[in-house]
Amino acid sequence: MDTREFSKVDLNLLISLQVLLEEKSVSRAAERLFITQPAMSKTLVRLRTLFDDELFTRSSRGMQPTPRAIELAAGLHDILGNISHLLAGSRFDPASFNGEVTIALSEYIGVALLPRLMGNLSLQAPRLRLRAITRIENQLEELAQGNLDFAIHIKQNNYSAEFRVEDLGSSPAAILVREAHPLTRGEVTWERMSHFPLIRLYISDWSNWNSSKTPQPSRPSSTIRWGLWRSPTC
């Protein structure tokens, strides 16, 4: 695209031309643009020089656009509309969105959440494709880089201001063992559980959560708080 010609054009001139085409009057156009009538007349002179055409002629019915002005009007409205849309941005519409969203969550949370989530998405965003990742480290870094759109995991104490965090609720912590298992006797602590290699709970970024400012209790908490981490671009 050759952009050299753009340096010759003042966007305000195109806006003034659009208003003149709509009002067909220098005075009314000046009122709409909140400028004086002499200033609007000078703008018209600049437009005539830019397009090398009179653009408007006077008649008993007021200012009439020339064939060149009518030709410009055909595309000017769309051009200014596109610029306005570009500056304002587009509002997200789930129903028309066609793309993929990546979410990180643990397997056991996925079993409870994904069926209902997919049911709602099929109604509200039928063309959205959901990609679920169950095991990924450094989730906040992956969110910042745009490799993840959302992440659901154990809520940490501190977050960077660039991330939006929502509390989704809590779930009870439970250990299922046989009736005669040693853990059924005495107090259950993190240290005792570490001696049983068959007990496995995968928690992404566990070190970040376990090394937070709040000391971890010697006894496992009865509930786990779950939070939604949202990418800065969402």
Side-chain angles (χ1 to χ4, degrees), residues 127-144:
R127 291 188 290 178
L128 182 146
R129 299 182 301 278
L130 184 65
R131 176 171 173 252
I133 301 177
T134 57
R135 299 201 174 194
I136 183 170
E137 302 293 341
N138 304 315
Q139 290 186 353
L140 295 182
E141 181 179 341
E142 294 295 316
L143 284 166

Side-chain angles (χ1 to χ4, degrees), residues 2 16 30 41 55 76-77 89 98 150 171 184 193 226:
D2 188 356
S16 297
S41 297
L55 297 179
L76 187 58
H77 183 272
N98 186 2
F150 298 93
S171 59
T184 60
M193 285 195 300
W226 294 94

Side-chain angles (χ1 to χ4, degrees), residues 2-225:
D2 188 356
T3 60
R4 290 173 294 180
E5 292 296 322
F6 295 164
S7 62
K8 303 177 184 179
V9 181
D10 182 352
L11 179 59
N12 290 321
L13 288 177
L14 299 182
I15 296 173
S16 297
L17 177 57
Q18 177 65 34
V19 175
L20 282 167
L21 287 166
E22 293 174 358
E23 297 294 342
K24 296 183 176 61
S25 166
V26 171
S27 60
R28 290 197 300 270
E31 290 178 3
R32 278 186 55 181
L33 295 173
F34 301 100
I35 61 176
T36 63
Q37 185 169 337
M40 191 72 238
S41 297
K42 290 180 180 179
T43 298
L44 179 55
V45 172
R46 293 179 61 192
L47 283 166
R48 285 168 170 165
T49 301
L50 176 64
F51 292 107
D52 192 23
D53 189 87
E54 283 295 306
L55 297 179
F56 297 93
T57 59
R58 294 187 178 278
S59 70
S60 58
R61 294 177 294 173
M63 295 177 59
Q64 297 299 314
T66 65
R68 174 62 171 150
I70 295 174
E71 179 186 359
L72 291 170
L76 187 58
H77 183 272
D78 291 338
I79 291 173
L80 294 179
N82 289 336
I83 293 175
S84 177
H85 179 73
L86 179 65
L87 294 175
S90 57
R91 188 174 182 180
F92 178 70
D93 179 17
S96 61
F97 177 76
N98 186 2
E100 183 177 84
V101 171
T102 303
I103 184 172
L105 73 173
S106 298
E107 294 97 329
Y108 47 95
I109 291 296
V111 170
L113 177 67
L114 287 178
R116 184 173 179 180
L117 176 60
M118 293 303 298
N120 289 335
L121 288 175
S122 65
L123 297 175
Q124 300 180 32
R127 291 188 290 178
L128 182 146
R129 299 182 301 278
L130 184 65
R131 176 171 173 252
I133 301 177
T134 57
R135 299 201 174 194
I136 183 170
E137 302 293 341
N138 304 315
Q139 290 186 353
L140 295 182
E141 181 179 341
E142 294 295 316
L143 284 166
Q145 294 178 355
N147 298 324
L148 287 176
D149 297 303
F150 298 93
I152 300 177
H153 221 294
I154 289 182
K155 189 175 180 181
Q156 299 182 15
N157 289 332
N158 300 299
Y159 299 92
S160 171
E162 62 182 320
F163 295 101
R164 293 180 57 186
V165 183
E166 296 183 21
D167 193 344
L168 297 182
S170 62
S171 59
I175 303 173
L176 303 180
V177 298
R178 67 181 185 276
E179 185 175 354
H181 194 281
L183 284 177
T184 60
R185 299 183 297 274
E187 185 179 18
V188 178
T189 64
W190 293 110
E191 182 180 1
R192 284 193 65 199
M193 285 195 300
S194 67
H195 296 297
F196 297 91
L198 295 183
I199 296 178
R200 289 290 182 266
L201 173 62
Y202 173 79
I203 299 177
S204 179
D205 298 338
W206 165 260
S207 59
N208 294 337
W209 181 69
N210 202 35
S211 61
S212 60
K213 293 182 179 180
T214 303
Q216 295 303 310
S218 60
R219 182 174 181 176
S221 172
S222 59
T223 60
I224 298 177
R225 301 300 298 178

